Amino acid sequence: IEKHNIRIKGCKCLVLGNGGAAKAIIAVLKHLDAAEIRLVSRRDTPDTITYEECMAHHTDADVIVNTTPVGMYPNMDASPLDLTPFTKCHAVLDIIYNPLETKLTAQAKSLGITAVTGLEMLVAQALYAVEFFLDTKLDPARIDEIYRKIAAEKNNSPLSVIRYIMDIYASLYATSIFL
């Protein structure tokens, strides 16, 4: 979020999905002082709103975060919502890392909205995991270096993503043992 200069403080944020990843995202948004956070789900519950309610009353959101599997391989032609009505939205984050760009993030970019995909978040998680488990400190610049390497290859098959995840950990591990 910081790397991409995405403003959260004082913003209205929508979190699509209500699983474990959504809970982590909500914690971050609260930490960054979001003014309002709405959890959007297929079912109406005391803690969520439906997609229908979202489209009827919350298209004034500033930030949208997708934590659902909608748009993930192999259903890459799907998107959790159409961004066209969200004229105030300045950032869309999608935790999906396969494909490297989802239909949601592609639409965001086409509308001039900052879009961040899940691959960058996945690489960052790997870096922090290596730091934690090996009790070491790594250069955060490695996140962008590894992300760019993977994104440049643009191979979205599931096996290649698994290979990339293994490469991420191997690369970070090799870096840490030589510090």
Side-chain angles (χ1 to χ4, degrees):
I1 292 174
E2 290 173 1
K3 177 186 176 229
H4 294 279
N5 298 313
I6 296 172
R7 181 178 38 84
I8 301 296
K9 186 174 185 169
C11 289
K12 179 176 185 173
C13 302
L14 299 178
V15 178
L16 312 180
N18 63 349
K23 289 171 180 52
I25 295 295
I26 290 168
V28 170
L29 294 174
K30 285 180 179 178
H31 176 75
L32 295 174
D33 295 323
E36 182 179 350
I37 302 168
R38 294 287 177 158
L39 192 58
V40 184
S41 181
R42 291 174 290 173
R43 289 183 228 44
D44 189 16
T45 71
D47 297 328
T48 65
I49 61 171
T50 63
Y51 283 89
E52 292 77 17
E53 184 179 343
C54 173
M55 297 306 284
H57 304 290
H58 299 285
T59 57
D60 60 340
D62 302 296
V63 177
I64 299 171
V65 184
N66 180 35
T67 69
T68 75
V70 178
M72 186 176 359
Y73 179 88
N75 301 313
M76 300 180 300
D77 288 333
S79 181
L81 52 79
D82 175 18
L83 296 172
T84 308
F86 294 88
T87 56
K88 285 186 59 186
C89 186
H90 67 263
V92 171
L93 298 101
D94 195 335
I95 68 166
I96 293 173
Y97 58 84
N98 186 22
L100 298 179
E101 180 160 81
T102 62
K103 187 174 180 180
L104 182 68
T105 57
Q107 184 187 24
K109 289 178 183 177
S110 76
L111 294 171
I113 300 170
T114 299
V116 180
T117 65
L119 179 62
E120 200 166 347
M121 293 179 248
L122 179 69
V123 174
Q125 287 175 344
L127 180 127
Y128 298 129
V130 168
E131 286 184 336
F132 178 79
F133 288 110
L134 298 180
D135 193 26
T136 189
K137 188 74 178 144
L138 300 174
D139 182 0
R142 297 283 292 144
I143 296 168
D144 197 49
E145 174 189 330
I146 294 169
Y147 166 75
R148 287 182 186 280
K149 176 185 173 200
I150 294 169
E153 292 186 20
K154 294 188 185 217
N155 187 344
N156 286 344
S157 73
L159 291 177
S160 69
V161 170
I162 291 168
R163 188 190 88 227
Y164 288 138
I165 293 169
M166 298 306 294
D167 288 348
I168 291 166
Y169 279 106
S171 177
L172 291 170
Y173 176 75
T175 301
S176 68
I177 63 172
F178 293 111
L179 293 178

